[in-house]
């Protein structure tokens, strides 16, 4: 139904759950380089909701600040120049696995784990 409007849909937002707002902020802002866009104290929880942004990618993280067993969560980001990104990640103490091939596009990808077991995958953009 949205296909005719696909060119106008430029924003991508992923919503994740978190347990420790300090760890979440450090990972997404300090280590990955997202910009903090908005921070809200949610009336329905004891934590903080964050909105981080990098380019046209947004990550919303709802933090409870309570220990909890969360389901496995995934975040996929597309980027160019994966070797340079891998170097930057290592400088910020993020160890990735080796380059792998994405089964859908055939492009390279990197994966690593963030706070609360979030599996982050960076997919190489087609040039």
């Amino acid at each position: 139904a949205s296909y005719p409007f696909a060119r106008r849909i430029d924003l991508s937002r992923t919503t994740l759950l978190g347990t420790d707002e300090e760890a979440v902020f450090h990972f997404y802002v300090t280590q990955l380089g997202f910009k903090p866009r908005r921070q809200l104290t949610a009336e329905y929880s004891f934590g903080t909701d964050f909105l981080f942004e990098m380019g046209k990618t947004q990550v919303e993280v709802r933090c409870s600040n309570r220990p909890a067993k969360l389901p496995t969560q995934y975040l996929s980001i597309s980027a160019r120049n994966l070797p340079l990104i891998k170097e930057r990640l290592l400088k910020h103490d993020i160890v990735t696995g080796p380059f792998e091939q994405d089964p859908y596009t055939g492009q390279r990808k990197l994966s690593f784990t963030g706070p609360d077991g979030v599996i982050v995958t960076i997919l190489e953009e087609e040039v």
Side-chain angles (χ1 to χ4, degrees):
S2 296
Y3 182 75
F5 307 101
R7 286 192 209 167
R8 294 185 214 149
I9 300 174
D10 290 328
L11 181 66
S12 171
R13 180 182 293 176
T14 302
T15 302
L16 303 169
L17 301 175
T19 57
D20 181 345
E21 64 186 52
E22 289 180 23
V24 165
F25 192 89
H26 176 74
F27 179 74
Y28 290 98
V29 175
T30 306
Q31 292 183 294
L32 289 184
F34 278 82
K35 294 196 183 312
R37 175 95 191 252
R38 178 86 27 113
Q39 180 175 329
L40 304 170
T41 302
E43 294 177 20
Y44 55 84
S45 75
F46 294 95
T48 301
D49 292 352
F50 293 103
L51 181 62
F52 305 114
E53 186 173 70
M54 183 184 300
K56 294 185 179 192
T57 300
Q58 293 182 341
V59 177
E60 174 187 10
V61 184
R62 297 179 177 188
C63 294
S64 67
N65 285 330
R66 292 181 167 189
K69 175 81 171 124
L70 298 176
T72 303
Q73 303 176 89
Y74 300 90
L75 172 63
S76 296
I77 305 168
S78 63
R80 293 191 181 124
N81 200 348
L82 285 189
L84 187 61
I85 290 172
K86 186 171 183 167
E87 284 180 30
R88 184 186 186 284
L89 292 170
L90 285 172
K91 285 181 185 176
H92 288 88
D93 300 320
I94 297 176
V95 178
T96 69
F99 289 113
E100 296 176 342
Q101 186 176 24
D102 180 56
Y104 301 106
T105 64
Q107 298 295 106
R108 288 187 301 181
K109 69 178 185 175
L110 285 172
S111 295
F112 51 93
T113 304
D116 299 302
V118 173
I119 298 172
V120 180
T121 301
I122 301 178
L123 299 161
E124 187 171 50
E125 283 184 355
E126 294 183 33
V127 182

